[in-house]
Amino acid sequence: RPESVKIDAKNLSGSRFSVTLSGLPARVFQHEFDHLEGTLFFERMTEEVLDTIHEGLQALEVKYEKSTGLPSPEKVAIRQRSKAGVGFGKN
C-alpha cells in the first residue's frame, strides 16, 4: 500500500476539503475504504502469500460458523480475486 494518501472529500455541509495521511493513518484509511468497496484483505495478497495463510483463514470461517450457527459470509476458497494492484507481497 502507498505510505501516504491524499483524500479529497466533502463535509456534511457539502464543502470540499483535502487531507493528507501517512503511516498508520494512511494504511487504516485504505483498509476501511476497501471495506466500502467490498474488497477483503486477502484479495490484495499474492497467491504465494495467500497459500501460506489459507488453512488459517478456513479455520476462522469454521470457527465463525460454529460460534454463530450461520454460514460464513465470505469463503476464501470460492472468493474471486479482485484486480487489486497493490497489497501483501505485491509491488
Side-chain angles (χ1 to χ4, degrees):
R1 291 188 181 270
E3 177 64 25
S4 64
V5 293
K6 180 182 177 197
I7 302 155
D8 296 315
K10 292 182 181 180
N11 66 17
L12 294 176
S13 302
S15 299
R16 293 182 180 271
F17 69 96
S18 294
V19 63
T20 300
L21 302 173
S22 60
L24 182 60
R27 189 176 188 112
V28 169
F29 176 84
Q30 292 172 82
H31 172 83
E32 295 305 326
F33 190 78
D34 281 349
H35 285 302
L36 295 174
E37 295 290 306
T39 301
L40 302 176
F41 76 96
F42 60 79
E43 293 174 314
R44 293 195 170 275
M45 296 178 179
T46 63
E47 291 295 329
E48 294 81 17
V49 172
L50 187 56
D51 286 345
T52 65
I53 65 164
H54 189 84
E55 286 182 27
L57 290 174
Q58 286 183 316
L60 287 173
E61 291 170 357
V62 170
K63 183 178 179 180
Y64 172 86
E65 291 172 350
K66 285 182 178 178
S67 67
T68 65
L70 300 170
S72 176
E74 296 292 340
K75 295 281 190 181
V76 69
I78 59 173
R79 177 79 177 181
Q80 288 186 341
R81 184 174 303 282
S82 72
K83 301 289 186 202
V86 295
F88 300 101
K90 295 183 179 182
N91 295 328

